């Protein structure tokens, strides 16, 4: 499954107000390695990289995001970030789908399909791909509005989000059926990955050996290296 219910990895930070559940985080790092520890949250997130290159892990997938590129992280997706250059700058927009679904209309159905992972969404937007350029420009406008917070900036942010998701839904593969499930091997892989990362998060302060993790998840050390 795409959801990660482990409380040990759920981000506890409060991002926003109840009236306008959107927040902007401008981040800078001067180090190589992990800059965003593995975690998940029920919010949705857009990340726009302005300098450097970041290797993002989302569930079982890897994305190498360069300056000018954007990334979309859906609700309840386990994700982490690792810098590949000494200087990293990026902007993160974290928001609740409730901002866009306060009324009981057809829009609510669209976002339920997104947050429940019934709709396979594009996640990596490349600055050098014309079809992605429009999405990136809308995200940049949101960053500008959230930075300056001029009068009625909330309307700008909400309208930009609606435009972005209308484009994503129109260009995404068809919605899966409501009872669709991931292939069995994919489900097992997700469950095993959650077990591994949960074990590491619980024992990170100890000296962890490869055999410790492999015994905890009932696989051989050799298989664990290939899998992880």
């Amino acid at each position: 499954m795409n959801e990660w219910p482990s409380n040990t990895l759920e981000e506890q930070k409060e991002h926003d107000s109840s009236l306008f559940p959107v927040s902007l985080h401008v981040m800078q790092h001067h180090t190589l390695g992990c800059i965003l520890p593995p975690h998940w949250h029920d919010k949705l997130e857009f990340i726009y990289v302005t300098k450097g290159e970041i290797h993002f892990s989302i569930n079982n997938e890897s994305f190498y995001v360069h300056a000018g590129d954007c990334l979309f992280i859906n609700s309840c997706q386990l994700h982490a970030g690792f810098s590949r250059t000494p200087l990293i700058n990026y902007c993160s927009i974290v928001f609740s789908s409730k901002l866009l679904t306060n009324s009981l209309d057809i829009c609510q159905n669209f976002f339920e399909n997104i947050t429940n992972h019934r709709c396979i969404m594009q996640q990596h937007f490349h600055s050098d791909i014309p079809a992605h350029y429009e999405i990136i420009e809308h995200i940049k406008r949101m960053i500008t509005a959230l930075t300056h917070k001029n009068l009625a900036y909330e309307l700008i942010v909400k309208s930009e989000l609606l435009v972005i998701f209308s484009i994503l839904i129109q260009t995404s593969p068809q919605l899966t059926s409501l009872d669709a499930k991931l292939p069995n091997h994919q489900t097992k892989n997700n469950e095993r990955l959650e077990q591994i990362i949960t074990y590491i998060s619980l024992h990170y302060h100890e000296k962890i050996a490869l055999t410790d993790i492999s015994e905890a998840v009932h696989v051989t050390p050799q298989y664990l290296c290939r899998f992880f």
Side-chain angles (χ1 to χ4, degrees):
M1 296 178 64
N2 283 326
E3 296 186 1
W4 297 84
S6 170
N7 290 333
T8 60
L9 299 177
E10 182 180 8
E11 187 176 51
Q12 302 300 321
K13 185 188 299 182
E14 287 296 328
H15 287 283
D16 46 53
S17 70
S18 58
L19 293 178
F20 187 64
V22 183
S23 59
L24 172 68
H25 307 275
V26 180
M27 309 298 295
Q28 184 176 86
H29 296 276
H30 297 270
T31 182
L32 293 171
C34 183
I35 58 175
L36 190 65
H39 68 286
W40 64 273
H41 42 70
D42 60 2
K43 306 289 196 303
L44 298 88
E45 184 173 9
F46 283 109
I47 293 177
Y48 175 59
V49 178
T50 57
K51 185 168 291 187
E53 180 185 356
I54 307 175
H55 169 209
F56 284 100
S57 171
I58 303 179
N59 285 357
N60 290 337
E61 296 188 69
S62 290
F63 302 88
Y64 293 88
V65 185
H66 300 82
D69 292 356
C70 288
L71 195 69
F72 169 63
I73 300 168
N74 206 342
S75 172
C76 297
Q77 287 191 312
L78 185 67
H79 55 286
F82 306 87
S83 62
R84 291 171 57 85
T85 52
L87 177 59
I88 296 292
N89 290 341
Y90 70 89
C91 299
S92 167
I93 302 173
V94 182
F95 60 98
S96 171
S97 62
K98 293 178 181 178
L99 174 70
L100 309 173
T101 58
N102 277 336
S103 58
L104 295 175
D105 56 19
I106 194 169
C107 292
Q108 188 171 38
N109 292 335
F110 284 121
F111 283 96
E112 284 181 357
N113 283 324
I114 292 171
T115 56
N116 291 328
H117 303 273
R118 296 173 186 147
C119 185
I120 303 171
M121 306 295 289
Q122 174 77 31
Q123 291 197 273
H124 189 185
F125 306 99
H126 300 264
S127 57
D128 57 352
I129 297 179
H132 296 176
Y133 179 80
E134 185 178 5
I135 294 290
I136 294 173
E137 286 301 302
H138 286 296
I139 292 172
K140 289 166 65 175
R141 289 184 197 123
M142 278 198 297
I143 293 172
T144 299
L146 287 165
T147 299
H148 298 293
K149 294 186 176 181
N150 293 327
L151 181 63
Y153 80 95
E154 298 94 339
L155 296 177
I156 295 173
V157 172
K158 184 170 182 177
S159 63
E160 294 291 354
L161 282 172
L162 288 171
V163 171
I164 289 170
F165 282 104
S166 68
I167 296 171
L168 290 179
I169 291 171
Q170 289 171 350
T171 58
S172 69
Q174 63 181 6
L175 297 179
T176 59
S177 62
L178 299 185
D179 59 349
K181 296 181 180 179
L182 289 173
N184 190 49
H185 73 277
Q186 184 68 53
T187 300
K188 290 181 178 179
N189 283 344
N190 282 349
E191 291 172 351
R192 179 163 289 148
L193 181 62
E194 180 185 359
Q195 291 172 351
I196 292 170
I197 297 180
T198 299
Y199 181 88
I200 293 172
S201 70
L202 291 174
H203 299 274
Y204 71 92
H205 56 285
E206 305 171 10
K207 186 176 181 179
I208 304 175
L210 185 63
T211 52
D212 295 330
I213 304 175
S214 63
E215 289 175 3
V217 298
H218 309 295
V219 298
T220 66
Q222 294 79 9
Y223 175 83
L224 178 63
C225 286
R226 292 196 305 271
F227 174 80
F228 198 73

